[in-house]
Amino acid sequence: MAGKTFVFLITGFLGSGKTTFLNRVIRQFPGDRKLMILMNEFGEVDVDGTLVEGEDLDMVEISKGSIFCACVKTDFVKALNSIAQTIRPDVLLIESTGVANPSDLKRDLRLSIFKDRFQFQEQFCMIDAGHFLDAYGAYQSIEKQLASSTVFLINKTDTADGGTIARIKEVVREHHPDPVFHETTFAEVDVSHLLLPGETEEAFSEEGPDTPMTPEELDSYCEKLLEDPEAQVTPPDRLLSAVYRWEGESIDAFKKTAGNLPKGIVRSKGFLVDGEETVLFSYVLGDWKLMPRQVPDGRAGQKNLIVFIGSPESMAELAERASEANLSPAPKNEA
């Protein structure tokens, strides 16, 4: 297959600002080129996909696990196959779940069925300046993200002092010999010079694809891929996710719930309705905020659904306390 798709990966632990950075990249992308987004959520409610800005974007969303783990590896490979065979964008941006080990991505992009379509370019690692040092060492996925990334965005620098930021850089250097750092707030970084490296007419040739696999052939290929132990990667950290519906009467009542979540809850997010206003609830390692945010009509069913990610112990505690916190487990078909 002629032509190439440049691939960029956005990694970083839960709540570090990956989707905010993704939106920055979208705004910087040349309007005359074709961009594709592949988003992966660890939880079963795709909140981040709703937050992606831009009209008429080509986007694939994969939830309920890490695209780098066997649990949804098949969905990932099938999505890449469709992108390579049918969509053939100039650039593919992949936002991975915050607990992913991305070490196996480059191998996946080189699978024979993609006919050398994908050309990996850069791995950005988002770092939450205020929470990184607390999370580092507790979650294996962070070390994997540091070791495999090349460009490090130390985000939310307004929440950390100079000494903390210096220590973060020391930790990164322990895993990477020559890191590139950007210090930022709200993920405001200019990466436009990276998005279309070395572009040529040949790179973006419109020659058609080879004869694609049938669905049955693709299923068989994926099954064999999962049988290869070398194709497996380290599973995500010992974290679970669950979706609850908020049944309280007001945002003020929810604030009490937000401030009393079990200690082992790492990340939580969702859209809440307060009268005619919708707000985004965002919780990261004990800190939380509520921000006014519109939800597209096509995503209206996500309102008052909240995804929680945490240790098995914290999720069990949340389940015990749910009713008194005006939370009820969301049915699978609703999440």
Side-chain angles (χ1 to χ4, degrees), residues 186-217:
F186 299 101
E188 191 152 5
V189 176
D190 183 0
V191 295
S192 57
H193 63 290
L194 297 174
L195 296 180
L196 293 170
E199 58 174 305
T200 64
E201 289 301 318
E202 181 180 357
F204 300 115
S205 168
E206 289 301 321
E207 182 177 322
D210 295 339
T211 302
M213 285 184 171
T214 65
E216 293 76 17
E217 290 172 335

Side-chain angles (χ1 to χ4, degrees), residues 163-319:
T164 299
I165 293 174
R167 175 56 186 150
I168 290 172
K169 291 182 178 180
E170 290 178 4
V171 171
V172 172
R173 290 189 180 100
E174 292 173 5
H175 296 273
H176 196 285
D178 188 26
V180 175
F181 291 111
H182 295 277
E183 298 178 25
T184 181
T185 57
F186 299 101
E188 191 152 5
V189 176
D190 183 0
V191 295
S192 57
H193 63 290
L194 297 174
L195 296 180
L196 293 170
E199 58 174 305
T200 64
E201 289 301 318
E202 181 180 357
F204 300 115
S205 168
E206 289 301 321
E207 182 177 322
D210 295 339
T211 302
M213 285 184 171
T214 65
E216 293 76 17
E217 290 172 335
L218 185 56
D219 284 339
S220 177
Y221 182 90
C222 290
E223 289 176 7
K224 292 179 180 178
L225 183 66
L226 293 179
E227 292 173 358
D228 179 4
E230 293 186 2
Q232 305 299 314
V233 295
T234 305
D237 288 288
R238 190 169 167 263
L239 295 171
L240 302 176
S241 70
V243 181
Y244 286 84
R245 174 166 289 281
W246 165 247
E247 298 179 335
E249 297 180 354
S250 69
I251 294 299
D252 285 337
F254 180 78
K255 291 177 181 178
K256 181 178 179 182
T257 296
N260 290 283
L261 291 177
K263 186 177 180 180
I265 298 293
V266 178
R267 181 77 165 117
S268 180
K269 53 192 172 182
F271 298 101
L272 303 173
V273 178
D274 186 18
E276 296 183 357
E277 183 181 27
T278 301
V279 298
L280 172 64
F281 168 61
S282 178
Y283 176 101
V284 182
L285 292 169
D287 293 330
W288 58 273
K289 54 187 175 181
L290 294 164
M291 302 162 284
R293 189 64 60 95
Q294 293 297 315
V295 180
D297 291 341
R299 305 275 185 153
Q302 290 189 352
K303 293 180 180 179
N304 288 334
L305 290 179
I306 307 170
V307 59
F308 295 91
I309 301 173
S311 66
E313 296 80 8
S314 67
M315 300 304 285
E317 183 179 348
L318 178 65

Side-chain angles (χ1 to χ4, degrees), residues 18-210:
K18 295 185 295 298
T19 303
T20 301
F21 176 60
L22 176 63
N23 282 325
R24 297 286 185 193
V25 176
I26 291 171
R27 293 179 203 139
Q28 296 171 30
F29 193 77
D32 62 343
R33 293 300 190 188
K34 190 172 185 177
L35 175 65
M36 179 81 196
I37 311 294
L38 194 159
M39 296 191 69
N40 177 215
E41 289 259 33
F42 185 66
E44 296 182 0
V45 173
D46 184 19
V47 177
D48 287 346
T50 304
L51 298 174
V52 173
E53 301 173 4
E55 298 180 0
D56 301 322
L57 279 174
D58 285 319
M59 185 162 68
V60 174
E61 301 164 69
I62 300 175
S63 300
K64 304 179 184 178
S66 164
I67 54 178
F68 308 109
C69 179
C71 45
V72 288
K73 171 80 84 174
T74 295
D75 290 343
F76 180 51
V77 171
K78 288 182 177 180
L80 287 178
N81 188 61
S82 177
I83 292 168
Q85 292 284 350
T86 306
I87 303 172
R88 293 181 289 147
D90 298 324
V91 169
L92 171 63
L93 292 177
I94 302 176
E95 181 191 326
S96 70
T97 171
V99 295
N101 168 9
S103 304
D104 210 37
L105 173 67
K106 296 172 187 177
R107 173 177 175 152
D108 288 341
L109 293 172
R110 294 195 300 267
L111 291 173
S112 60
I113 60 171
F114 304 142
K115 308 293 185 182
D116 294 322
R117 176 78 205 187
F118 299 113
Q119 184 172 319
F120 186 86
Q121 293 295 313
E122 203 79 69
Q123 181 173 319
F124 301 100
C125 183
M126 301 298 300
I127 294 175
D128 180 345
H131 294 109
F132 174 82
L133 294 179
D134 290 332
Y136 174 75
Y139 301 99
Q140 184 182 19
S141 55
I142 295 179
E143 295 186 13
K144 301 292 186 182
Q145 292 165 5
L146 295 180
S148 56
S149 297
T150 46
V151 178
F152 299 86
L153 283 70
I154 303 178
N155 195 31
K156 307 182 185 181
T157 54
D158 55 328
T159 66
D161 58 28
T164 299
I165 293 174
R167 175 56 186 150
I168 290 172
K169 291 182 178 180
E170 290 178 4
V171 171
V172 172
R173 290 189 180 100
E174 292 173 5
H175 296 273
H176 196 285
D178 188 26
V180 175
F181 291 111
H182 295 277
E183 298 178 25
T184 181
T185 57
F186 299 101
E188 191 152 5
V189 176
D190 183 0
V191 295
S192 57
H193 63 290
L194 297 174
L195 296 180
L196 293 170
E199 58 174 305
T200 64
E201 289 301 318
E202 181 180 357
F204 300 115
S205 168
E206 289 301 321
E207 182 177 322
D210 295 339

